[in-house]
Amino acid sequence: MKSFHEILRESREKNGLLLREVSSKLQIDQALISKFESGNRKPTRAQVIQLARYYDTDKEELLVQWMSEKVVYELRNEEFADEILKVAEQKMRYLSKSKNEKA
Amino acid sequence: MKSFHEILRESREKNGLLLREVSSKLQIDQALISKFESGNRKPTRAQVIQLARYYDTDKEELLVQWMSEKVVYELRNEEFADEILKVAEQKMRYLSKSKNEKA
DNA sequence: GATTTACTTGACTTATTTTGTCAAGTTAAT
DNA sequence: ATTAACTTGACAAAATAAGTCAAGTAAATC
């Protein structure tokens, strides 16, 4: 499975772009973008969207990758991470159900 | 399904404890505990553990409830929350697999 | 082998978010 | 009307995340 930062780097390379080009176009420090691509920093949501646009890649997919890694990161030291995710899913289902019932 | 803050309040009540008693025993501001129980604030991990101990309730279960709500909260505005969780699970499985392979 | 180019790294500052505190407020019982 | 239990809101403090800049590699080119 490809990680978010790998996808980011590959997308840039597919477009034959240099870091400094992306940097100047999107007004994001080149060092930051480099860190995004090495996985040392997480971009903000707005940056993910900017990048997806500029690389002409699927925005939703990139956002899903980005967000799911944030979740995984949060659970990195959790002994019961798998159970936590299961319970989170249940809670989500419950929420969307009561949301629908209201409507 | 019971939410974390409901469990918290019920646990305290089961023990017949007043907010100020918990507050003084655990050295947590009473207002904070009140907010925990109404769901307006999330305790820290250390506080969850303290509370579980003092209420003599299952620490793991409380932690799972607490943590899963943090995850749900993070996804509250995500359109593809369900997919994000699925991908997060995949990534977790992948991680624990490569972790095992190393060992 | 010195320069240039593309990218990386680390330390630091700034911004944002989370957590804690206190005083005032509500509700219900006495 | 007082007291007791709890709640609320505004603010301060602490923790975390994001951004910046200068210096550092590594490979290609002159």
Side-chain angles (χ1 to χ4, degrees), chain A residues 2 4 7 61-69, chain B residues 87 91:
Chain A
K2 264 173 202 156
F4 173 79
I7 298 175
E61 205 215 303
L62 205 60
L63 280 172
V64 166
Q65 290 297 323
W66 169 74
M67 198 65 207
S68 61
E69 274 187 23
Chain B
V87 174
K91 285 181 189 286

Side-chain angles (χ1 to χ4, degrees), chain B residues 16 21 27 29 32 35 49 54-55 68-69 80-81 83 100:
Chain B
E21 295 175 309
Q27 298 281 80
D29 192 290
L32 249 191
K35 285 167 190 165
I49 293 168
Y54 190 38
Y55 296 155
S68 62
E69 275 186 23
F80 302 97
E83 202 193 332
N100 287 340

Side-chain angles (χ1 to χ4, degrees), chain A residues 1-2 45 60 65 67-70 72 74 78 80-81 84-85 87-92 95, chain B residues 1-2 45 60 65 67-69 72 74 78 80-81 84-85 87-92 95:
Chain A
M1 183 178 327
K2 264 173 202 156
R45 158 177 290 270
E60 300 309 347
Q65 290 297 323
M67 198 65 207
S68 61
E69 274 187 23
K70 283 187 65 159
V72 169
E74 244 195 314
E78 290 292 339
F80 302 97
I84 289 167
L85 279 181
V87 174
E89 280 187 23
Q90 278 178 256
K91 284 180 190 286
M92 294 273 307
L95 282 179
Chain B
M1 184 180 326
K2 263 172 202 156
R45 158 178 289 271
E60 298 311 347
Q65 290 297 323
M67 198 64 207
S68 62
E69 275 186 23
V72 169
E74 243 194 318
E78 290 292 338
F80 302 97
I84 289 166
L85 279 182
V87 174
E89 281 188 24
Q90 279 178 255
K91 285 181 189 286
M92 294 273 308
L95 282 180

Side-chain angles (χ1 to χ4, degrees), chain B residues 60-72:
Chain B
E60 298 311 347
E61 205 216 303
L62 205 60
L63 279 172
V64 166
Q65 290 297 323
W66 168 75
M67 198 64 207
S68 62
E69 275 186 23
K70 282 187 66 159
V71 170
V72 169

